[in-house]
Amino acid sequence: MSGADFAYAPLLPTGPDQTEYRLVTDEGVDVVNGPGGRRFLTIEPGALTALTAEAMHDIAHYLRPAHLAQLRSIIDDPAASPNDRFVALDLLRNANIAAGGVLPMCQDTGTAIVMGKRGRHVLTDGADAEAISRGVWQAYTRLNLRYSQLAPLSMWEERNTGSNLPAQVELYAEDPDGHPDAYKFLFMAKGGGSANKSYLYQETKALLNPTRMMQFLEEKLRLIGTAACPPYHLAVVIGGTSAEYALKTAKYASAKYLDALPTSGSMTAHGFRDLELEAEVLELTRNFGIGAQFGGRYFCHDVRVVRLPRHGASCPVAIAVSCSADRQAVAKITPSGVWLERLETDPARFLPEVTEAQLDATEVVRVDLNRPMDEIRAELSKYPVKTRLSLSGPLVVARDIAHAKIAERLDAGEPMPQYLRDHAVYYAGPAKTPEGYASGSFGPTTAGRMDAYVEKFQAAGGSMVMLAKGNRSAQVTRSCEQHGGFYLGSIGGPAARLAQDCIKHVEVLEYAELGMEAVWKIEVEDFPAFIVVDDKGNDFFAEVTKPVLTIGRS
């Protein structure tokens, strides 16, 4: 039995490159004559290193103009909630501070991810991944960035590498955009919060109808929650030649790398974007009520839906997000030099010329953290969930490893440390502190990772007021109701603004050897927060994560 005629198309055919680039350098690049009259682009290792270091600097401090314009559009949208507008304004202010090149936009400066496509007429010394990794090392050791990579010394023991290496480097032998004498790259910095919101579902043909698809997406997208700092750039990939290819495609799509895909399919079985479904999924998220972290419409800036071919017995679905730290840039090396995507260095032009008071008519409750814990809890108990707060006074900072060590002490019969009894606890870990600053970028980490400790700690008199980002489990709500505790949500994303404007003093209390995972004490002023879980068993996110819509395609 004969099959179809041979026909080839790349799985992800992209259109012309519309990126605006800036020249980084023309050094380390040359063109030489080769056999058969061919011309070859030669690239020195130093050029790869310089490009990578520059890219990692830029994506830690600058955003794309289109992303900033989307934040501004939230402020200008009369349908946006006051909380949507407040978060958008804070993120724009944060971008303005980060663009100064001192404080990175987020304290989690991410895993460095580099994907490259090297044309057949490009010559290097063959150690491209090493040269690129050196550029990552230069950026993270010289800038005020955080080291987040842990080397496994055994199955159970880990140690921070102190350089943010290793990077994830993937290089392909492929003429980029049909140019044999070009080397093109996508640089990303992926923080743990948004990376943890990458999902793979193994579905079947039964999913491939409009009604079931929208029911499925409503259920799964609500589960993303706010821990990864919305508003999101959401990507959904349906199909795939393998599970891992679906996930990788979702990551590229969330970075807008696949925006120029075709918008319809063909018998060559290439991937394409479904623009109609993108619009419907975006509207679906508008109706969740989650909004830009604390209620409203702007759970997502935009949506990319990519349909891929699939094996008849498999239907993978991959979901990924790019968060408010929307950190990626493309680059290229050509005979004319080393080029990097031009990001926005003047985000202030997107700031509105209106006051915060004009944007948010809701009451802001000022909370003095210098008072005894019982008085702080009594004050919080007066207000409903979603109330906006302004915190001033001392906070204790502790996250994953510190919580594990304190839990071990409790299990051994030791008392709860007094600092967790006397103060609210902020789940966070700082980036490096620049000279002249009280703190490096110091935004909240994901609260859910500490859920397992809450009941034990509150029963021992600690963690009665917690501050972080994202939703919590039902066990946290039950514990707060039983013990009279509270969980406050901090805005995920504006780590640089918090460091510059809100954090006035930082000192280590315990476990200094843990670096950014140590227990810290900080003094804050006008630190923004919201009541998410109260002492009466109310949880803001418990309502907005319940499916309430049944939507089918028209």
Side-chain angles (χ1 to χ4, degrees):
M1 180 178 178
S2 63
D5 293 339
F6 175 78
Y8 172 78
L11 272 176
L12 297 172
T14 54
D17 185 359
Q18 304 292 336
T19 306
E20 181 182 355
Y21 291 95
R22 65 178 182 87
L23 182 66
V24 175
T25 181
D26 56 8
E27 296 182 359
V29 178
D30 197 7
V31 177
V32 299
N33 293 320
R38 290 181 292 175
R39 304 273 285 172
F40 287 84
L41 173 67
T42 65
I43 302 173
E44 296 295 328
L48 293 171
T49 298
L51 172 60
T52 302
E54 189 79 0
M56 288 298 153
H57 167 276
D58 281 14
I59 63 178
H61 292 281
Y62 308 132
L63 291 158
R64 286 171 166 160
H67 175 85
L68 294 164
Q70 287 175 309
L71 286 173
R72 175 57 189 268
S73 71
I74 296 173
I75 297 172
D76 294 335
D77 182 1
S81 72
N83 283 334
D84 280 338
R85 293 195 290 272
F86 174 72
V87 170
L89 179 60
D90 221 35
L91 291 171
L92 281 175
R93 288 172 172 166
N94 187 71
N96 194 49
I97 294 167
V102 177
L103 294 166
M105 68 183 72
C106 180
Q107 80 287 342
D108 184 348
T109 47
T111 296
I113 300 172
V114 185
M115 186 272 286
K117 296 180 178 180
R118 174 175 155 179
R120 66 187 186 276
H121 290 176
V122 174
L123 301 178
T124 68
D125 69 352
D128 297 15
E130 181 178 348
I132 290 167
S133 295
R134 181 177 291 276
V136 172
W137 172 83
Q138 286 184 0
Y140 278 83
T141 55
R142 296 176 182 178
L143 302 171
N144 297 309
L145 309 183
R146 196 176 86 185
Y147 309 140
S148 298
Q149 303 305 309
L150 303 177
L153 304 183
S154 70
M155 181 58 72
W156 320 119
E157 182 185 2
E158 299 175 310
R159 188 173 302 165
N160 195 299
T161 62
S163 63
N164 215 55
L165 291 177
Q168 179 179 318
V169 182
E170 300 179 3
L171 303 176
Y172 299 89
E174 176 182 331
D175 288 354
D177 301 326
H179 297 289
D181 58 349
Y183 206 158
K184 301 194 76 171
F185 301 90
L186 170 64
F187 292 95
M188 303 178 70
K190 198 71 174 172
S194 62
N196 292 345
K197 297 302 179 180
S198 300
Y199 296 101
L200 173 70
Y201 301 97
Q202 296 286 16
E203 296 298 315
T204 69
K205 167 69 174 174
L207 184 66
L208 299 181
N209 69 80
T211 299
R212 177 68 190 114
M213 178 63 71
M214 293 303 283
Q215 292 171 341
F216 170 86
L217 290 176
E218 180 184 358
E219 175 189 348
K220 303 306 183 186
L221 297 180
R222 285 176 179 274
L223 296 177
I224 295 174
T226 63
C229 307
Y232 298 127
H233 300 280
L234 171 67
V236 179
V237 174
I238 299 156
T241 50
S242 63
E244 65 271 23
Y245 194 82
L247 282 166
K248 184 175 294 187
T249 302
K251 178 176 288 187
Y252 292 162
S254 72
K256 283 71 70 183
Y257 185 73
L258 302 177
D259 277 8
L261 282 177
T263 56
S264 61
S266 77
M267 285 304 296
T268 56
H270 57 75
F272 65 90
R273 287 179 62 187
D274 186 329
L275 302 184
E276 180 185 355
L277 188 53
E278 288 179 0
E280 293 180 13
V281 174
L282 180 61
E283 186 59 28
L284 176 70
T285 67
R286 294 279 194 257
N287 290 301
F288 285 172
I290 300 172
Q293 305 188 31
F294 299 101
R297 287 171 48 81
Y298 281 93
F299 185 63
C300 295
H301 283 302
D302 48 40
V303 176
R304 302 292 186 271
V305 175
V306 177
R307 181 67 158 91
L308 292 178
R310 68 183 186 92
H311 185 286
S314 301
C315 186
V317 177
I319 296 173
V321 297
S322 183
C323 66
S324 292
D326 188 40
R327 293 173 295 196
Q328 59 265 322
V330 295
K332 62 182 180 180
I333 303 178
T334 70
S336 62
V338 178
W339 300 84
L340 180 60
E341 180 177 357
R342 186 182 299 279
L343 302 180
E344 181 58 66
T345 58
D346 182 26
R349 67 188 181 91
F350 292 94
L351 283 167
E353 296 181 3
V354 293
T355 67
E356 184 177 313
Q358 290 172 300
L359 288 170
D360 190 352
T362 60
E363 178 186 8
V364 179
V365 176
R366 302 194 177 279
V367 179
D368 182 3
L369 299 175
N370 290 290
R371 292 180 294 173
M373 178 54 64
D374 286 347
E375 292 185 17
I376 295 172
R377 291 159 60 198
E379 176 69 15
L380 293 174
S381 190
K382 299 176 184 177
Y383 302 99
V385 294
K386 210 167 74 169
T387 297
R388 185 177 155 200
L389 309 173
S390 177
L391 310 178
S392 295
L395 289 169
V396 166
V397 179
R399 48 181 286 157
D400 307 56
I401 298 178
H403 274 70
K405 287 182 173 294
I406 293 168
E408 289 174 0
R409 288 158 60 174
L410 294 177
D411 290 341
E414 298 180 31
M416 171 64 64
Q418 194 64 36
Y419 54 73
L420 278 183
R421 298 175 64 92
D422 293 342
H423 301 294
V425 59
Y426 179 39
Y427 302 158
K432 284 183 286 188
T433 302
E435 185 176 352
Y437 285 72
S439 166
S441 291
F442 210 155
T445 195
T446 303
R449 298 201 307 274
M450 268 56 74
D451 283 6
Y453 302 103
V454 172
E455 203 285 327
K456 179 193 293 283
F457 282 24
Q458 289 189 339
S463 294
M464 301 308 294
V465 177
M466 302 162 285
L467 175 67
K469 67 176 181 179
N471 47 302
R472 307 298 295 265
S473 64
Q475 71 187 88
V476 172
T477 303
R478 289 193 297 268
S479 182
C480 286
E481 182 178 18
Q482 179 181 354
H483 298 289
F486 294 84
Y487 167 54
L488 311 180
S490 176
I491 297 172
R497 193 190 77 76
L498 293 175
Q500 175 177 281
D501 298 340
C502 301
I503 299 175
K504 303 303 180 182
H505 178 74
V506 177
E507 61 181 281
V508 175
L509 283 182
E510 195 172 13
Y511 304 124
E513 69 277 8
L514 298 180
M516 69 93 177
E517 290 262 12
V519 176
W520 307 78
K521 184 177 181 181
I522 64 175
E523 291 285 335
V524 301
E525 184 177 300
D526 293 329
F527 193 107
F530 293 77
I531 299 176
V532 177
V533 176
D534 66 13
D535 58 348
K536 305 169 189 66
N538 298 308
D539 176 3
F540 165 68
F541 288 112
E543 293 304 314
V544 297
T545 54
K546 292 178 182 175
V548 295
L549 305 174
T550 302
I551 297 178
R553 298 184 70 177
S554 58

